[in-house]
């Protein structure tokens, strides 16, 4: 049975699938089962009150995915358009149709045909289905059912994320008629939404100012992995005519916020076209766009004069881009900025958000230059760069709300400087910063002199956590080296409103502090602990006392942990990671876990060596709504294959490594066809019972965009000379990565295990 929070979510999220308004006084609700998101329908299969309806909904959705034309005809013969009707009203401002793989262009048109005043004749509907079944090239037929003029002027936001079977040009034609006042379009994880489709969109919608085209970021970031080989296989270009049609007709667009995160199919030419068409662009996110270069980014910066938010993490952003940011913009056509700062005429001075995390092409000198030009930043991320105290102390802004300096070389001195100048900090992440360890020396790395310390109002020996507790009110934090029980005490009121905390290598939380975490941070929703000493008492205190807890991660922790830790009800928990902390776990313990955490959508288990093939059935029956499953070195879970996991129909991310040599050669193809939402798949050749896996064709991969296959070599222990055969152990050799985007299939072999 749904609790109050689930009822509220259902009212807000799924009212599009209802024939009547949902109010507290309504006793009967007619739900269109074929319109429910797959993850929601799958998750209700365990509920004793809704299991039958959930099964019916899942079967209907999967039938639509596998054979849309036949299933649509069957639905129309038995129930007419009412079984497909999407509920829209003249007052509705947001339409959310995400997570629905069953929606195709034909489905969408037929679902909206009931609003037409023209009689809907069977032969006309049949003709519409035939037209869409044969949809090719640059022909975007709109059903004659929709010729009559009707529209929903109030709709400003449309979310069509995770649609895989839609011809987007045809859908845009339809949306143009239905939602003429559209402002925001979200089409995340839609690989067939190409850049040419984006240009077609801006032609049709003059008012759209925000577009989100996020896809999964490549695991083969060139600056972060050692590439052995790369092979690129381009698709036959089916959109050439579309691009030719719109190439000369593009005019300036009103789009101000554009998110292209993970789009490996865009290059420098695309960035140049974006800078020409989207002249008003103020927010750009190209995180993980591996095909763009530093030169291409720098040219875009010079042309987009109104940029104030730039997310370029995990790209080749480097010295050229920084020089463009630090150069002066032309005074003509721009308002004069009255400020005492000497660099107030630079592009960087206007930035409010800057994310260059993981950009290995940036050197220390460039960082020093960049930070000396930024002043108005509210969000700054320099995770994994060569950032050091010299550069960070050159930042004189006072508006920071979010700062992430994880895995950098900064020390307490420079962070105290940042904290004192920015009392409005809400997010603070400093995991992996070894120079924060007490007693650490940086003399050999060029530690700041006493004169510089004095200039910045800092002195050796001051405590960063004391400054945080005195100045800030944090909502999210990540700590590592140098964090101790005394640090938690010093933070005091700064973490009273904390909602997410992550503690990593080098930190020491303390037994007493962890048991009282619910008193120190009563609002916590996410707790992730790495390399900490834990016990049953600690876990019991966390899961029992933190009533809002949604995410729990225990990774590589030490201590005496037993099955008693998970005998407590955790109905709010949505994500659970147990990595190398439960080696004793057996099937009986897994059953208890499914009863204690009935609403999980993400599960990660590793090092559970007592699990077996029956564990798959326990997982799929206990959590049918899972969207992410990671199992690594979990006994013999896949010794007899992995077909039972296919009962979790809404899986988007599946990782199975070193769980038993029993996975069939056809597993990848089978998973792609039976799990319509699956986007990421990770396997290991050690688990292949026939020595390898078949790769799906572009047409047969459905939503699948990334496949990672690790390959091991046998390593012989030199210290056991008596039993040479028994001491062989698999040792990682390389990883094969297959990535599909809108243009090509890219096969990369890297040394790392990603």
């Amino acid at each position: 049975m749904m609790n109050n929070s689930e009822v509220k979510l259902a009212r807000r999220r799924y009212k599009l699938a209802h024939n009547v308004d949902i109010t507290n006084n309504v006793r009967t609700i007619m739900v269109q089962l074929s319109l429910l998101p797959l993850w929601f329908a799958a998750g209700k299969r365990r509920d004793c009150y809704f299991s039958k309806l959930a099964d019916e909904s899942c079967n209907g959705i999967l039938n639509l995915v596998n054979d849309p034309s036949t299933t649509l005809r069957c639905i129309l013969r038995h129930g007419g358009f009412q079984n497909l009707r999407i509920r829209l009203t003249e007052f509705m401002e947001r339409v959310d149709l995400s997570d629905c793989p069953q929606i195709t262009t034909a489905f969408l048109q037929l679902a909206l045909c009931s609003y037409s005043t023209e009689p809907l004749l069977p032969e006309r509907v049949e003709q519409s289905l035939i037209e869409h079944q044969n949809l090719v090239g640059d022909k975007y037929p709109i059903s004659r059912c929709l010729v009559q003029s009707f529209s929903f002027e109030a709709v400003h936001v449309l979310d069509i994320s995770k649609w895989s079977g839609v011809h987007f040009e045809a859908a845009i034609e339809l949306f143009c008629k239905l939602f003429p006042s559209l402002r925001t379009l979200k089409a995340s994880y839609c690989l067939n939404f190409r850049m040419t489709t984006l240009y077609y969109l801006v032609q049709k919608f003059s008012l759209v100012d925000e577009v989100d085209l996020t896809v999964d970021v490549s695991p083969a970031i060139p600056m972060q992995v050692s590439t052995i080989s790369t092979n690129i296989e381009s698709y036959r270009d089916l959109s050439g005519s579309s691009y030719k049609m719109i190439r000369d007709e593009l005019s300036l667009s009103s789009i101000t916020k554009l998110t292209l995160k993970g789009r490996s199919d865009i290059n420098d030419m695309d960035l140049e076209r974006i800078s020409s068409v989207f002249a008003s662009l103020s927010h750009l996110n190209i995180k993980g766009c591996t095909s763009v270069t530093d030169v291409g980014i720098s040219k875009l910066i010079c042309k987009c004069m109104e940029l104030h938010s730039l997310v370029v993490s995990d790209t080749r952003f480097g010295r050229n881009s920084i020089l463009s940011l630090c150069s002066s913009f032309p005074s003509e056509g721009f308002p004069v900025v009255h400020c005492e700062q000497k660099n107030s005429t630079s592009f960087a001075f206007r930035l409010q958000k800057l994310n260059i995390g993981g950009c290995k092409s940036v050197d220390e000198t460039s960082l020093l230059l960049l930070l000396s030009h930024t002043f108005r930043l509210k969000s700054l991320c320099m995770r994994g760069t060569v950032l050091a105290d010299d550069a960070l102390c050159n930042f004189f802004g006072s508006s920071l709300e979010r700062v992430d300096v994880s895995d950098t070389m900064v020390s307490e001195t420079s962070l105290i400087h940042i904290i004192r100048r920015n009392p409005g900090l809400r997010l603070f992440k400093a995991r992996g910063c070894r120079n924060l360890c007490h007693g650490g020396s940086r003399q050999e790395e060029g530690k700041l002199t006493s004169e510089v310390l004095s200039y910045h109002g800092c002195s050796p020996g001051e405590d960063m956590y004391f400054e945080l507790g005195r100045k800030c009110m944090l909502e999210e934090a990540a700590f590592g080296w140098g964090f101790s029980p005394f640090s938690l005490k010093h933070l005091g009121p700064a973490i009273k409103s904390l909602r997410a905390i992550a503690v990593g290598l080098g930190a020491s939380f303390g037994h007493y502090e962890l048991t009282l975490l619910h008193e120190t941070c009563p609002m916590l929703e996410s707790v992730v602990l790495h390399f900490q000493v834990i016990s049953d008492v600690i876990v019991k205190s966390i899961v029992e006392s933190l009533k809002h807890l949604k995410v729990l991660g225990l990774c590589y922790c030490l201590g005496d942990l037993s099955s008693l830790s998970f005998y407590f009800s955790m109905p709010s928990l949505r994500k659970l990671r147990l990595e190398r902390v439960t080696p004793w776990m057996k099937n009986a313990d897994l059953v208890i876990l499914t009863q204690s955490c009935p609403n999980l959508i993400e599960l990660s288990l590793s090092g559970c060596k007592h699990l077996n093939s029956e564990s798959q059935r326990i997982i799929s029956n206990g959590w049918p709504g899972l969207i992410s499953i990671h199992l690594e070195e979990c006994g013999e879970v896949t010794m007899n294959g992995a077909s039972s996991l296919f009962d979790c129909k809404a899986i988007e991310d599946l990782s199975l490594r070193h769980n038993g040599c029993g996975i069939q050669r056809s597993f990848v193809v089978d998973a792609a066809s039976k799990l319509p939402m699956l986007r990421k798949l990770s396997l290991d050749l050690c688990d292949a019972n026939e020595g390898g896996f078949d790769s799906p064709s572009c047409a047969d991969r459905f939503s699948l965009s990334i496949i990672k296959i690790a390959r091991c070599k046998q390593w012989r222990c030199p210290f056991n000379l008596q039993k040479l055969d028994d001491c062989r152990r698999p040792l990682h050799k390389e990883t094969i990565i297959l990535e599909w985007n809108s243009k090509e299939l890219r096969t990369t072999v890297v040394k790392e295990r990603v």
Side-chain angles (χ1 to χ4, degrees):
M1 181 179 292
M2 292 190 294
N3 56 34
N4 290 336
S5 61
E6 286 182 309
V7 170
K8 291 179 181 178
L9 175 63
R11 289 174 180 170
R12 182 174 63 254
R13 171 64 176 81
Y14 307 114
K15 62 183 180 180
L16 292 176
H18 299 151
N19 273 343
V20 296
D21 289 327
I22 302 177
T23 67
N24 292 329
N25 298 322
V26 174
R27 293 173 179 255
T28 302
I29 299 175
M30 297 178 61
V31 180
Q32 308 307 335
L33 298 179
S34 57
L35 279 171
L36 289 174
L38 182 55
W39 68 267
F40 179 79
K44 291 303 174 186
R45 290 167 61 195
R46 181 182 175 180
D47 195 306
C48 60
Y49 295 98
F50 300 101
S51 58
K52 185 176 181 180
L53 288 176
D55 285 336
E56 184 181 342
S57 178
C58 286
N59 292 334
I61 292 171
L62 294 175
N63 287 336
L64 280 166
V65 171
N66 296 327
D67 191 358
S69 296
T70 303
T71 308
L72 282 174
R73 291 190 185 100
C74 183
I75 291 175
L76 292 172
R77 289 192 196 104
H78 288 87
F81 289 95
Q82 292 305 316
N83 286 340
L84 300 175
R85 182 184 175 94
I86 294 177
R87 179 181 174 272
L88 294 172
T89 71
E90 58 181 317
F91 306 108
M92 191 171 290
E93 296 182 358
R94 178 186 177 89
V95 175
D96 189 347
L97 297 171
S98 60
D99 299 288
C100 295
Q102 71 271 32
I103 294 185
T104 61
T105 314
F107 183 104
L108 187 63
Q109 289 201 22
L110 295 177
L112 295 166
C113 274
S114 57
Y115 290 98
S116 176
T117 57
E118 184 181 349
L120 301 175
L121 301 177
E123 58 271 16
R124 187 169 296 172
V125 173
E126 189 79 13
Q127 180 61 32
S128 177
L129 288 173
I130 294 173
E131 287 176 350
H132 284 89
Q133 191 173 8
N134 300 324
L135 188 63
V136 293
D138 58 350
K139 298 179 180 179
Y140 318 132
I142 298 298
S143 172
R144 285 177 291 177
C145 305
L146 296 175
V147 172
Q148 291 290 327
S149 176
F150 66 94
S151 62
F152 300 91
E153 300 281 349
V155 174
H156 289 170
V157 180
L158 176 63
D159 192 343
I160 55 174
S161 299
K162 301 176 186 176
W163 281 15
S164 57
V166 173
H167 194 289
F168 280 103
E169 281 82 355
I172 288 172
E173 287 276 0
L174 178 59
F175 296 149
C176 185
K177 293 178 177 291
L178 291 174
F179 314 125
S181 302
L182 192 66
R183 300 287 195 281
T184 301
L185 177 67
K186 297 183 179 181
S188 302
Y189 307 107
C190 299
L191 288 186
N192 53 336
F193 197 112
R194 303 187 176 199
M195 290 302 295
T196 52
T197 311
L198 175 62
Y199 303 139
Y200 190 74
L201 172 74
V202 300
Q203 276 186 308
K204 295 294 182 178
F205 289 95
S206 60
L207 299 178
V208 168
D209 60 9
E210 180 179 347
V211 177
D212 185 351
L213 303 179
T214 296
V215 297
D216 292 300
V217 175
S218 168
I221 302 294
M223 297 73 65
Q224 299 176 11
V225 297
S226 304
T227 302
I228 298 175
S229 64
T230 301
N231 180 61
I232 298 176
E233 181 181 343
S234 299
Y235 309 147
R236 185 169 61 90
D237 189 5
L238 298 176
S239 63
S241 57
S242 300
Y243 175 67
K244 182 178 180 181
M245 177 182 66
I246 66 174
R247 182 174 55 189
D248 301 324
E249 301 177 11
L250 288 175
S251 57
L252 292 181
S253 168
S254 60
I255 290 180
T256 59
K257 185 174 182 179
L258 181 61
T259 301
L260 300 172
K261 177 182 174 182
R263 288 273 172 181
S264 59
D265 52 344
I266 70 168
N267 52 32
D268 287 354
M269 290 183 60
D270 292 308
L271 290 186
E272 184 176 355
R273 198 170 295 118
I274 287 171
S275 63
S276 300
V277 177
F278 308 132
S280 310
L281 201 61
S282 60
H283 173 99
L284 178 64
N285 184 340
I286 54 172
K287 176 180 179 178
C289 294
T290 55
S291 298
V292 300
T293 68
D294 183 30
V295 173
I297 298 173
S298 65
K299 290 181 178 180
L300 178 139
I301 292 171
C302 291
K303 290 185 178 181
C304 295
M305 301 292 187
E306 298 185 22
L307 267 180
H308 61 67
S309 178
L310 188 60
V311 180
V312 290
S313 52
D314 301 320
T315 66
R316 290 186 172 87
F317 177 92
R319 185 172 180 274
N320 291 304
S321 300
I322 289 177
L323 290 176
S324 296
L325 282 173
C326 296
S327 62
S328 298
F329 51 76
S331 58
E332 297 180 4
F334 289 88
V336 177
V337 179
H338 298 286
C339 182
E340 296 179 358
Q341 294 293 319
K342 61 180 180 180
N343 298 318
S344 60
T345 59
S346 68
F347 287 95
F349 182 84
R350 295 175 176 268
L351 285 179
Q352 296 179 21
K353 180 177 182 179
L354 177 63
N355 186 335
I356 60 172
C359 294
K360 304 296 185 181
S361 301
V362 182
D363 55 40
E364 292 187 46
T365 304
S366 299
L367 282 180
L368 192 150
L369 175 66
L370 176 61
L371 290 179
S372 66
H373 280 71
T374 53
F375 185 76
R376 295 183 172 183
L377 282 179
K378 294 182 179 180
S379 177
L380 174 64
C381 176
M382 294 197 162
R383 161 192 55 84
T385 63
V386 294
L387 179 68
D389 287 348
D390 293 348
L392 193 56
C393 281
N394 271 274
F395 176 74
F396 287 94
S398 57
S399 303
L400 273 182
E401 297 175 2
R402 304 168 64 89
V403 61
D404 185 353
V405 292
S406 301
D407 300 310
T408 61
M409 298 179 291
V410 298
S411 70
E412 280 191 304
T413 301
S414 56
L415 288 178
I416 290 173
H417 160 70
I418 294 296
I419 294 166
R420 285 179 176 172
R421 294 189 61 91
N422 299 272
L425 280 176
R426 295 291 179 267
L427 179 146
F428 182 84
K429 293 185 177 182
R431 275 182 59 186
C433 300
R434 291 180 176 271
N435 292 322
L436 294 180
C437 186
H438 294 302
S441 174
R442 293 198 64 230
Q443 291 181 356
E444 66 280 2
E445 297 181 27
K447 191 174 182 180
L448 294 176
T449 63
S450 58
E451 291 82 3
V452 176
L453 293 175
S454 176
Y455 174 76
H456 291 291
C458 305
S459 58
E462 291 184 303
D463 192 282
M464 175 185 74
Y465 302 101
F466 177 79
E467 289 297 324
L468 273 173
R470 191 168 65 92
K471 293 277 188 181
C472 307
M473 287 291 292
L474 298 177
E475 296 177 359
E476 186 175 349
F479 303 116
W481 293 95
F483 185 83
S484 70
F486 297 104
S487 305
L488 191 67
K489 181 179 179 180
H490 289 160
L491 285 170
I495 55 176
K496 278 294 182 183
S497 300
L498 199 67
R499 296 187 178 276
I501 186 170
V503 181
L505 183 63
S508 176
F509 219 126
H511 183 276
Y512 179 74
E513 287 71 24
L514 280 172
T515 55
L516 295 180
L517 192 61
H518 62 280
E519 295 182 4
T520 312
C521 316
M523 304 301 293
L524 276 176
E525 298 178 1
S526 173
V527 177
V528 180
L529 305 177
H530 289 79
F531 301 101
Q532 301 302 298
V533 179
I534 58 176
S535 65
D536 287 340
V537 175
I538 290 173
V539 177
K540 175 184 176 182
S541 175
I542 290 175
V543 301
E544 274 193 323
S545 305
L546 293 174
K547 302 301 182 183
H548 307 286
L549 191 66
K550 297 179 181 178
V551 181
L552 177 62
L554 304 175
C555 309
Y556 301 91
C557 292
L558 305 175
D560 186 16
L561 201 64
S562 72
S563 59
L564 296 176
S565 299
F566 304 106
Y567 272 78
F568 310 100
S569 178
M570 296 174 274
S572 299
L573 199 66
R574 306 291 281 170
K575 302 178 183 180
L576 178 64
R577 295 171 59 191
L578 299 175
E579 300 179 3
R580 310 288 177 180
V581 294
T582 54
W584 40 261
M585 182 178 285
K586 298 180 181 179
N587 286 342
D589 303 313
L590 194 58
V591 171
I592 295 298
L593 201 58
T594 64
Q595 297 169 352
S596 301
C597 318
N599 298 312
L600 286 188
I601 59 172
E602 294 187 16
L603 174 69
S604 178
L605 299 176
S606 65
C608 305
K609 296 185 179 297
H610 298 292
L611 299 182
N612 55 34
S613 298
E614 181 64 16
S615 305
Q616 288 187 49
R617 186 189 61 79
I618 296 172
I619 291 173
S620 58
N621 289 343
W623 298 298
L626 283 174
I627 64 174
S628 175
I629 301 178
H630 287 205
L631 302 175
E632 182 172 348
E633 294 190 13
C634 288
E636 299 179 347
V637 169
T638 58
M639 186 59 72
N640 297 321
S643 58
S644 293
L645 293 178
F646 291 163
D647 291 335
C648 298
K649 299 299 183 181
I651 294 179
E652 300 176 13
D653 182 3
L654 179 61
S655 178
L656 302 171
R657 286 179 166 175
H658 288 171
N659 301 302
C661 180
I663 301 181
Q664 302 88 344
R665 173 175 286 276
S666 63
F667 179 78
V668 176
V669 178
D670 294 340
S673 61
K674 295 179 181 180
L675 303 173
M677 304 290 288
L678 185 65
R679 303 195 317 272
K680 296 187 289 184
L681 180 62
S682 301
L683 301 170
D684 198 298
L685 285 179
C686 293
D687 297 333
N689 64 358
E690 298 178 55
F693 301 104
D694 294 331
S695 176
S697 64
C698 180
D700 295 332
R701 64 178 176 80
F702 291 86
S703 298
L704 198 58
S705 62
I706 297 175
I707 300 176
K708 297 183 291 183
I709 301 177
R711 185 154 52 192
C712 297
K713 59 183 178 182
Q714 292 299 316
W715 174 74
R716 179 178 295 175
C717 177
F719 301 106
N720 190 343
L721 302 178
Q722 300 297 325
K723 299 179 180 180
L724 293 179
D725 293 334
D726 295 338
C727 66
R728 292 179 180 273
R729 295 289 185 272
L731 184 67
H732 175 75
K733 179 182 180 181
E734 59 195 17
T735 304
I736 305 168
I737 304 172
L738 285 76
E739 301 173 82
W740 287 267
N741 59 35
S742 67
K743 294 180 179 178
E744 61 199 18
L745 165 62
R746 181 172 301 184
T747 304
T748 309
V749 181
V750 301
K751 291 183 179 179
E752 289 79 4
R753 194 170 189 268
V754 294

